[in-house]
Amino acid sequence: DQQVKQNSPSLSVQEGRISILNCDYTNSMFDYFLWYKKYPAEGPTFLISISSIKDKNEDGRFTVFLNKSAKHLSLHIVPSQPGDSAVYFCAAQGGSEKLVFGKGTKLTVNP
Amino acid sequence: EAGVVQSPRYKIIEKKQPVAFWCNPISGHNTLYWYLQNLGQGPELLIRYENEEAVDDSQLPKDRFSAERLKGVDSTLKIQPAELGDSAVYLCASSPRLAGYNEQFFGPGTRLTVL
């Protein structure tokens, strides 16, 4: 049973527009959430995180929103750039337990 | 600052052969992780070390997989014998603090192909 779900395998947006990547989780013990970005032939790189005590965290063009009641989080990229094209993984953690990753969403930003 | 280093980057072996992967974490990082990533999936934890101690190896198939982290720095993950289903990317990651909420820094991975 997948505890972290990214239901959209892929997303395509135009340069300059907003990209919204979604993630749902089932385990109510998760209280820390992260987004990782992965280019081909490279390991995932940390992008942004959010604690369950917050509902929003912003870092430059990247904003993560957390809706605990819906067990849903989303990553907003504004404005999207072609260099943002990558696979984005949502991950969740509860206490000192392991990170649980979703399957990823492949974002393509078209010039 | 140098990142997590893994070698080899690619490995092709025949089934039933042994294989080993090496990881050098970021200097000063106490916690080291080995992950398995199958095609189209997210990384899945195999084992977590805090210094020299394996604190979570519940997902490591111990009949054929083994790992060690001597002196709490470099780590080696071994498969013996390899099976066709072991074809995947093996990722190593490290983080600076023990337990708690840590950003994990990943290496580039080793892509294993078992023929």
Side-chain angles (χ1 to χ4, degrees):
Chain A
D1 180 36
Q2 262 199 302
Q3 298 186 70
V4 177
K5 299 178 183 179
Q6 294 179 256
N7 293 318
S8 298
S10 62
L11 175 68
S12 182
V13 299
Q14 285 298 120
E15 181 179 5
R17 304 295 293 269
I18 185 172
S19 296
I20 300 176
L21 296 96
N22 294 303
C23 178
D24 297 294
Y25 62 96
T26 58
N27 190 337
S28 57
M29 297 301 292
F30 289 147
D31 57 2
Y32 190 64
F33 305 89
L34 307 90
W35 284 93
Y36 280 82
K37 174 181 180 179
K38 185 181 182 306
Y39 292 117
E42 295 183 12
T45 56
F46 171 76
L47 193 57
I48 193 169
S49 63
I50 187 167
S51 164
S52 61
I53 62 173
K54 296 184 176 182
D55 55 18
K56 177 182 174 181
N57 188 27
E58 190 172 354
D59 183 2
R61 297 186 296 112
F62 303 90
T63 303
V64 57
F65 295 91
L66 175 63
N67 182 333
K68 288 191 294 294
S69 61
K71 293 190 176 67
H72 177 83
L73 64 154
S74 61
L75 174 68
H76 293 210
I77 307 174
V78 183
S80 300
Q81 300 173 354
D84 296 328
S85 297
V87 177
Y88 289 78
F89 290 98
C90 171
Q93 185 179 22
S96 61
E97 295 299 315
K98 64 183 180 182
L99 278 182
V100 179
F101 286 84
K103 291 186 176 183
T105 296
K106 183 178 181 179
L107 174 66
T108 302
V109 180
N110 301 302
Chain B
E1 180 183 85
V4 176
V5 178
Q6 290 187 250
S7 69
R9 292 293 312 275
Y10 304 90
K11 188 74 175 178
I12 300 174
I13 61 171
E14 295 188 346
K15 63 181 181 182
K16 301 184 182 180
Q17 294 298 305
V19 64
F21 314 123
W22 175 80
C23 173
N24 178 242
I26 293 172
S27 177
H29 281 197
N30 302 103
T31 307
L32 183 145
Y33 312 78
W34 283 102
Y35 286 87
L36 164 71
Q37 185 175 17
N38 287 304
L39 189 64
Q41 304 291 318
E44 298 175 42
L45 182 69
L46 288 172
I47 189 168
R48 174 168 64 101
Y49 282 93
E50 292 187 359
N51 296 313
E52 306 86 9
E53 184 182 0
V55 297
D56 183 357
D57 63 355
S58 57
Q59 302 303 309
L60 190 72
K62 298 181 184 63
D63 57 335
R64 297 183 301 107
F65 286 65
S66 64
E68 60 182 11
R69 190 184 184 198
L70 300 177
K71 301 181 181 179
V73 182
D74 295 0
S75 179
T76 302
L77 177 69
K78 298 178 182 178
I79 308 174
Q80 183 171 10
E83 296 179 352
L84 294 176
D86 296 331
S87 295
V89 175
Y90 292 82
L91 293 162
C92 179
S94 68
S95 60
R97 296 183 301 277
L98 300 177
Y101 301 118
N102 284 299
E103 174 189 341
Q104 295 182 24
F105 296 80
F106 284 82
T110 296
R111 180 175 294 277
L112 174 67
T113 302
V114 182
L115 303 176

